[in-house]
Amino acid sequence: MQSDQDKEYVGFATLPNQVHRKTVKKGFTFTLMVAGETGLGKSTLINSLFLTDLYKDRKVPNAEERIGQTVDIVKHTIGIEEKGIKLWLSIVDTPGFGDAVNNTASWKHVEDYIDQQFEQYFRDESGLNRKNIKDNRVHCLLYFISPFGHGLRPIDVECMKALHEKVNIIPLLAKADSLTHAEAYSKKSKIREEIKQFGINIYQFPECESDEDEDSKRQEQILKDSIPFAVIGSNIQVESKGRKFRGRSYPWGVVEVENPIHSDFLLLRNMLVRTHMQDLKDVTRETHYENYRAQCIQSMTRMMVQERKRRWVEPGPPPTPGRRRPLPLRKMQEVLERIQEQMQQSQRGSC
């Protein structure tokens, strides 16, 4: 017999479990882009973050090759499984960025790639078969800042301003082991001031809910105060005082990658993987992609109105009174392609 409690139980409380099972079965995807000049430790940091080696066959260009090198877009995708949870991680690297003598508009290749992923997703979303849409949109850009300057360089400012409305930018102060604590603190403050001064919109951590505990609020504030993250990467095991860890050995001592006193590596990894990965995807979908989509739809509507007006003046049999002549599917496709061309031209003109 059913108890009184069972009679009052409908069952929709199991919905989260149903969603969890379905999501785990499907797996997760995340696309991370890295940008910054050669020698700042981008590949080493990525390998350190995800405990993998994505750059086994990489060829490092010499000085002569770097002078005339153009920006390439190289994508690596790997499957990672942890406790039964599958993650398809895509790393988009930008070798050649900022390495040439003339770096004018060197970020254009990066911007075009981000736009291309938005365009492909928009086409797939607008198509007939929407069941298995592949999401290749860039969810996060780790932008590496050199520790050897006095703050942001002109290329840093122009690049981040060109991209900040299209992708979640997280600035990193590279090679933090080359700075003292005082130097790192000073450079962080300087970079934060310049980001605000030049109106660069980096990724904003979501505000804590009123019902969250004090520890969560404190951790969130630590993340905000740590921007830009001062990071160190290493894939080498170092032994010191009978203990092995990933780090770097110097004549004056050792640096531990995962020691919060030495760098912000743990803060970055926890934020990127454990606490804010889904929010980065949500902001990409709800803000950056929606802005692109709205712009596409507005342009499409404007061009369809112009096309309809043009069709009214073309010779041919008069339409039935009170009914508009429909726009053929082939014509709509042509309109969409013209919209994409106009958007790309306007973006080139604005640069």
Side-chain angles (χ1 to χ4, degrees), residues 45 49 171-173 176-177 181 184-185 188 192 222-223 225-233 256-272:
L45 181 71
L49 282 172
L172 307 180
L173 182 59
D177 51 341
H181 286 295
Y185 180 83
K188 280 187 170 194
R192 282 198 297 266
I222 290 173
L223 285 175
D225 294 339
S226 298
I227 293 292
F229 295 107
V231 293
I232 304 167
E256 296 183 47
V257 169
E258 299 183 11
N259 189 330
I261 299 176
H262 295 172
S263 80
D264 297 327
F265 176 86
L266 275 183
L267 281 176
L268 173 65
R269 188 177 67 184
N270 290 342
M271 182 279 296
L272 203 57

Side-chain angles (χ1 to χ4, degrees), residues 282-298:
D282 291 342
V283 173
T284 299
R285 183 184 70 251
E286 297 169 5
T287 302
H288 300 305
Y289 174 69
E290 279 303 312
N291 290 339
Y292 176 89
R293 183 173 175 272
Q295 188 178 356
C296 278
I297 292 175
Q298 289 173 0

Side-chain angles (χ1 to χ4, degrees), residues 207-307:
E207 296 296 329
C208 291
E209 300 292 337
S210 58
D211 59 346
E212 292 193 40
D213 56 36
E214 291 300 320
D215 186 57
S216 298
K217 294 178 181 178
R218 186 171 62 255
Q219 289 297 323
E220 202 72 20
Q221 191 58 48
I222 290 173
L223 285 175
K224 293 177 181 179
D225 294 339
S226 298
I227 293 292
F229 295 107
V231 293
I232 304 167
S234 175
N235 301 318
I236 302 171
Q237 289 283 335
V238 177
E239 185 171 356
S240 176
K241 297 179 180 179
R243 190 168 59 91
K244 289 185 177 181
F245 50 84
R246 283 185 302 149
R248 296 179 179 273
S249 179
Y250 296 100
W252 45 263
V254 293
V255 174
E256 296 183 47
V257 169
E258 299 183 11
N259 189 330
I261 299 176
H262 295 172
S263 80
D264 297 327
F265 176 86
L266 275 183
L267 281 176
L268 173 65
R269 188 177 67 184
N270 290 342
M271 182 279 296
L272 203 57
V273 179
R274 298 184 182 182
T275 59
H276 289 75
M277 179 178 280
Q278 187 58 48
D279 187 68
L280 288 164
K281 297 181 68 172
D282 291 342
V283 173
T284 299
R285 183 184 70 251
E286 297 169 5
T287 302
H288 300 305
Y289 174 69
E290 279 303 312
N291 290 339
Y292 176 89
R293 183 173 175 272
Q295 188 178 356
C296 278
I297 292 175
Q298 289 173 0
S299 301
M300 186 186 301
T301 303
R302 185 164 55 250
M303 292 190 68
M304 288 180 67
V305 169
Q306 294 173 355
E307 181 71 17

Side-chain angles (χ1 to χ4, degrees), residues 16-241:
N17 297 332
Q18 297 175 39
V19 173
H20 178 264
R21 284 196 301 270
K22 187 176 181 180
T23 306
V24 168
K25 184 178 180 181
K26 184 179 179 182
F28 298 86
T29 60
F30 189 75
T31 301
L32 178 69
M33 176 178 273
V34 293
E37 66 182 59
T38 300
L40 292 182
K42 301 188 297 296
S43 57
T44 305
L45 181 71
I46 293 300
N47 288 338
S48 301
L49 282 172
F50 298 101
L51 300 178
T52 185
D53 188 3
L54 291 174
Y55 303 90
K56 296 176 183 177
D57 304 321
R58 183 183 61 159
K59 178 188 175 185
V60 180
N62 57 37
E64 184 179 354
E65 291 172 332
R66 287 173 59 186
I67 290 175
Q69 186 177 13
T70 57
V71 180
D72 294 326
I73 302 294
V74 181
K75 182 178 179 181
H76 306 267
T77 301
I78 58 170
I80 304 175
E81 185 168 346
E82 184 179 76
K83 295 183 179 180
I85 306 297
K86 295 179 181 178
L87 171 67
W88 292 101
L89 174 69
S90 296
I91 304 295
V92 182
D93 200 356
T94 55
F97 178 87
D99 292 345
V101 174
N102 182 4
N103 288 306
T104 304
S106 60
W107 58 86
K108 190 63 182 148
H109 295 274
V110 179
E111 184 179 7
D112 287 344
Y113 180 84
I114 294 171
D115 285 337
Q116 287 165 10
Q117 306 317 306
F118 280 158
E119 177 184 344
Q120 186 59 52
Y121 194 88
F122 181 73
R123 286 178 178 274
D124 293 343
E125 191 181 48
S126 306
L128 296 177
N129 184 11
R130 303 172 56 193
K131 187 175 181 180
N132 296 310
I133 297 178
K134 195 171 183 180
D135 185 6
N136 290 316
R137 294 172 295 184
V138 180
H139 301 117
C140 177
L141 169 65
L142 296 182
Y143 190 86
F144 287 69
I145 301 169
S146 173
F148 307 121
H150 296 286
L152 297 177
R153 300 173 303 164
I155 186 176
D156 298 328
V157 175
E158 294 301 321
C159 177
M160 287 194 281
K161 287 184 71 173
L163 302 176
H164 66 172
E165 299 294 342
K166 301 173 182 287
V167 67
N168 298 307
I169 298 176
I170 298 178
L172 307 180
L173 182 59
K175 291 187 174 294
D177 51 341
S178 64
L179 303 170
T180 65
H181 286 295
E183 288 172 337
Y185 180 83
S186 176
K187 285 185 182 295
K188 280 187 170 194
S189 300
K190 177 70 172 175
I191 291 170
R192 282 198 297 266
E193 289 174 6
E194 291 181 335
I195 285 174
K196 185 177 181 180
Q197 174 188 342
F198 292 110
I200 300 170
N201 300 321
I202 61 173
Y203 171 66
Q204 297 297 313
F205 297 106
E207 296 296 329
C208 291
E209 300 292 337
S210 58
D211 59 346
E212 292 193 40
D213 56 36
E214 291 300 320
D215 186 57
S216 298
K217 294 178 181 178
R218 186 171 62 255
Q219 289 297 323
E220 202 72 20
Q221 191 58 48
I222 290 173
L223 285 175
K224 293 177 181 179
D225 294 339
S226 298
I227 293 292
F229 295 107
V231 293
I232 304 167
S234 175
N235 301 318
I236 302 171
Q237 289 283 335
V238 177
E239 185 171 356
S240 176
K241 297 179 180 179

